[in-house]
Amino acid sequence: MNSKTSDQTLESDTRAGEADGSLGEQLRRARESRGVSLRHISEQTRITVRHLEAIETSDYKHLPGGIFNRSFIKAYAKQINFDEKYALDLYAREARERGDDEEVLTSPRRSHIYMSDTSRSPAMTAVLSAVILGILVLVVYAGLHWYRRTGEPPPEASATAPQPGAANPAGQPLAQPAQDAAPVADKLNITVKAKDEVWFKALVDDEKDKDKQGMILAADETREFSPGEKLTLKYARSKAGSMEVTINGSVAKVPSDTTTNVVQEWVITRENYKQFLP
C-alpha cells in the first residue's frame, strides 16, 4: 500500500469515526481491524493494558489525568495508524461534554493519599507535642532509676570521690580507713598455777629444750614467765585440767587436743594469745 492509499484509508477511518461512536469505540474498532492486540500496544508504548482498556471504554477516571491522558491517547492512535490530531480533538470534546475543566486536563491529578481537606489546629499540635515530650521524660527517668538500682555509682561520683590520704578542702589530710588487723600485745606475762600436782615444760622464746625432765608443780604452786615473743608449754594431755594459766591478768583456756599424742604442746605468742581468752 503506497502513501496515498494509506492517507485515504486514514481519512476513511476518521470520517467513519466521526459518525460512529465515541473515541474509545473508534480506537477499538481501528485496532481490531488491523489485528493489533492490546498487549502489543502495551509493549510498544509502555502503557499498561488496564489503562488501554480504560481508553477504549472511555473510562477516563481510571487514567492518571491531564497531560498523561492526552499522551496515552496520542501514543495509542499512533500504534494503529489512527489520526492522532483527530483523536486528541475528539477526546477534548468528550471531556468538555462531561464538564471536565480544561485546566485540570492539562495537569496530573493529585493523589488523595497525600492531600487532605482537614488541617490540624495549633492547639492540637501543642497537645501532641506535650504528650511526646512527656513520654520522652518518662523514658529518661526510668533509665536513671534502673541505673541507680544496679548499685553502680554515677561517673561524676566516681570522679569526685576523695581518695584515702588526700587533703580535704580545708587542707587537712583525710582519715585513713580502719584496717582489720589482729591486736599485738606489747608484752606477755604468763603465770602457771597447779590445781594439783602437775608436770610440764616451759620454753621461753626460742631457747632450746635443755631441760629434758621438765618440772613438777605441787598443788597451788605457781611459776611466772615473761617471754619477749612466745612461750611454749608442754604437758601431759590428761593433766590439762590440773593447770590454771593466766595471760596478762586473764585466765586462759588450757588446750586439750584429743588428736595429739600423750604430750600436749601449747604455743602462746603476742599475736595469738587472745584466742585462748574467754
Side-chain angles (χ1 to χ4, degrees):
M1 181 180 296
N2 56 30
S3 177
K4 183 177 180 180
T5 303
S6 176
D7 292 341
Q8 290 175 349
T9 301
L10 180 58
E11 291 174 1
S12 176
D13 290 340
T14 300
R15 288 193 297 269
E18 291 176 347
D20 198 6
S22 64
L23 170 62
E25 293 172 348
Q26 294 178 48
L27 292 175
R28 179 179 55 79
R29 284 197 299 269
R31 176 181 61 79
E32 292 176 349
S33 67
R34 289 164 177 72
V36 180
S37 66
L38 289 177
R39 177 63 60 186
H40 175 78
I41 297 175
S42 176
E43 293 174 354
Q44 296 299 317
T45 62
R46 303 299 181 184
I47 302 173
T48 64
V49 174
R50 179 172 60 86
H51 286 150
L52 295 175
E53 291 175 345
I55 292 174
E56 288 189 350
T57 58
S58 299
D59 189 8
Y60 301 134
K61 65 182 180 180
H62 287 97
L63 296 178
I67 193 173
F68 295 102
N69 291 11
R70 300 169 69 86
S71 298
F72 286 3
I73 292 171
K74 183 177 181 180
Y76 186 115
K78 182 177 181 180
Q79 287 298 314
I80 60 174
N81 293 326
F82 195 89
D83 188 344
E84 299 172 25
K85 183 178 183 304
Y86 170 74
L88 292 175
D89 291 342
L90 184 56
Y91 166 70
R93 186 176 67 189
E94 290 181 355
R96 286 193 298 270
E97 291 176 354
R98 296 185 181 200
D100 292 338
D101 191 345
E102 184 64 21
E103 184 179 352
V104 175
L105 296 175
T106 60
S107 60
R109 294 180 182 173
R110 296 180 180 178
S111 173
H112 291 288
I113 296 176
Y114 303 101
M115 302 299 294
S116 176
D117 294 332
T118 60
S119 59
R120 185 177 297 137
S121 66
M124 181 60 69
T125 301
V127 171
L128 291 176
S129 300
V131 171
I132 295 174
L133 181 60
I135 293 174
L136 292 176
V137 170
L138 287 176
V139 170
V140 173
Y141 176 79
L144 290 175
H145 182 68
W146 175 84
Y147 183 79
R148 290 171 181 171
R149 290 187 62 185
T150 60
E152 299 178 359
E156 294 80 2
S158 300
T160 58
Q163 299 298 324
N168 60 16
Q172 299 297 325
L174 297 174
Q176 294 288 344
Q179 300 292 332
D180 294 333
V184 178
D186 294 334
K187 60 181 180 177
L188 287 175
N189 291 319
I190 301 174
T191 301
V192 179
K193 179 181 179 180
K195 297 179 181 179
D196 51 32
E197 189 177 81
V198 63
W199 169 92
F200 74 96
K201 280 186 179 182
L203 299 177
V204 178
D205 293 325
D206 292 325
E207 68 179 3
K208 295 182 180 180
D209 188 3
K210 297 179 180 180
D211 188 0
K212 301 294 185 181
Q213 300 299 321
M215 65 183 70
I216 297 177
L217 292 182
D220 296 328
E221 189 178 359
T222 62
R223 287 287 187 275
E224 294 185 0
F225 304 92
S226 299
E229 294 294 334
K230 66 179 180 179
L231 176 69
T232 302
L233 295 178
K234 295 182 179 180
Y235 50 89
R237 188 182 64 198
S238 60
K239 290 293 185 175
S242 300
M243 293 192 307
E244 180 180 287
V245 179
T246 303
I247 304 175
N248 291 348
S250 299
V251 178
K253 181 180 179 181
V254 180
S256 178
D257 189 354
T258 58
T259 62
T260 62
N261 295 325
V262 176
V263 177
Q264 177 83 41
E265 183 175 293
W266 181 16
V267 180
I268 304 171
T269 68
R270 292 194 303 157
E271 290 80 9
N272 73 352
Y273 77 96
K274 281 195 173 182
Q275 71 183 42
F276 306 113
L277 302 180

